[in-house]
Amino acid sequence: MRYDYLIVGAGLFGSVVAHELTKAGKKCLLIDKRSHIAGNAYTEKIEGIDVHVYGAHIFHTSNEMVWDYVNSFTPFQRFINAPIAVYKGEVYNLPFNMNTFNRMWGCVTPDEARRIIKAQVERENIGEPRNLEEQALKLVGRDIYEKLVKDYTQKQWGCPCSELPAFIIRRLPLRFTYDNNYFNDRFQGIPENGYTEMVRKMIEGIDIRLNTEYAQLMREELEIADATVYTGMIDEFYDYKLGELSYRGLRFDTKVMDTENYQGNAVVNYTSGDVPWTRIIEHKHFAHADSEKTIISYEYPQQWKRGDEPFYPVNNEKNDALYRAYRALAEKDEKVIFGGRLGEYRYYDMDQVILSALNLSNRLIEKQR
């Protein structure tokens, strides 16, 4: 069978594009190299709990159109993300707010907190920050940097903060209120039956092949579609001919615990260097699941190598220049369109992924009218 579009990747981007193009009357084939749909948003029910297999995914947006769009596939359950940080037994609220400052210094009013931060920043006497460490010290001062930023960031990126570019943290939000809501967005929640069910409804009636590698499919059925929407790694698509883009990987150690409540919160960050993981996720707190047991996932950042799942692009000057070179190659190919976090080599929140996929779908539909 010949298709109008081959869509590579059954994550959020590919699934939205497949849905929209099919709705517009196009014949689509959706493929994924994994054994499941929904990409990194994939949820799997274990012990009656929706487990976020590839790490915490909390949907948040201020775009009402995007919010209405995802709710058209599944109802969302209200969830407010209020992570905490543990540093050597001390517990702090994130993002940095008045509860954080009270725990750190005992101050009660915003003016007290502002004075302490201002004095610490001035003491550092940093002009133009040369690296991430100097950038952080100029933004929040020594105490917050040492306890809540330094080791956590070094674990996340695998090298000292003094060797990381300053632009990685252009800002560190300081909130002078007692509000623990991590996101400022108007809408926030978790799909009632998990992201996998949301994506399943999105791609109902669309031909899909799992456990299918794009390269192998092209060797066997080169003319299977008139055009391709590719959401995988752009450098892999071109067989790394210009070089290899860099990513950070993650490893998850997920355990069923014989207790009803392990840590009392969905996300707990561990910010000291003597703890090897960056955070522990307790999945039942995302959806307030009623279960006698609980499931937790330890999250370990790791060096990425080919064959690993790429999670975070390393957007430094070298990689961004290499991506632009690949992008120039892609612009010469009228039959392949790249999209999503891997195709565009950028970090996307889920609402940004969906909006980008909708915009691409609209352009493709309009182009053929």
Side-chain angles (χ1 to χ4, degrees), residues 146-301:
E146 291 288 347
K147 289 189 173 185
L148 302 180
V149 178
K150 181 181 179 181
D151 289 345
Y152 184 89
T153 304
Q154 291 178 169
K155 287 189 289 187
Q156 188 72 30
W157 293 101
C159 66
C161 290
S162 58
E163 296 177 11
L164 289 167
F167 70 80
I168 290 179
I169 52 166
R170 291 187 179 92
R171 64 186 189 89
L172 283 170
L174 296 171
R175 293 185 187 168
F176 296 93
T177 64
Y178 288 90
D179 181 6
N180 294 325
N181 185 353
Y182 190 81
F183 299 119
N184 287 317
D185 290 307
R186 180 180 171 192
F187 306 105
Q188 184 177 165
I190 304 282
E192 279 190 359
N193 298 306
Y195 289 100
T196 303
E197 184 61 23
M198 181 184 82
V199 173
R200 183 175 289 114
K201 290 184 177 179
M202 197 178 285
I203 61 175
E204 274 182 357
I206 298 170
D207 289 351
I208 180 166
R209 300 185 195 177
L210 300 176
N211 300 302
T212 300
E213 291 278 357
Y214 171 75
Q216 180 67 29
L217 181 64
M218 289 298 95
R219 285 192 289 269
E220 296 170 356
E221 302 179 67
L222 180 61
E223 302 297 329
I224 195 168
D226 295 333
T228 297
V229 176
Y230 191 87
T231 73
M233 297 160 56
I234 190 169
D235 54 344
E236 182 181 49
F237 180 88
Y238 289 107
D239 198 27
Y240 307 102
K241 65 191 294 183
L242 301 179
E244 187 178 277
L245 291 165
S246 300
Y247 299 88
R248 284 294 284 168
L250 291 176
R251 178 174 65 85
F252 301 96
D253 182 10
T254 298
K255 300 180 179 181
V256 178
M257 308 296 288
D258 196 18
T259 182
E260 188 177 343
N261 185 358
Y262 178 78
Q263 64 183 15
N265 204 48
V267 181
V268 178
N269 290 2
Y270 285 80
T271 60
S272 60
D274 57 343
V275 177
W277 54 85
T278 49
R279 57 182 179 173
I280 298 176
I281 300 161
E282 187 167 6
H283 301 269
K284 73 184 309 179
H285 293 305
F286 289 124
H288 314 291
D290 184 16
S291 172
E292 292 182 357
K293 296 184 178 182
T294 192
I295 299 175
I296 63 172
S297 294
Y298 295 83
E299 189 170 305
Y300 298 84

Side-chain angles (χ1 to χ4, degrees), residues 300-320:
Y300 298 84
Q302 60 183 18
Q303 198 70 30
W304 177 86
K305 63 182 185 305
R306 287 191 203 180
D308 294 342
E309 183 61 35
F311 280 87
Y312 302 110
V314 182
N315 290 117
N316 55 28
E317 290 182 8
K318 176 184 175 183
N319 283 305
D320 287 350

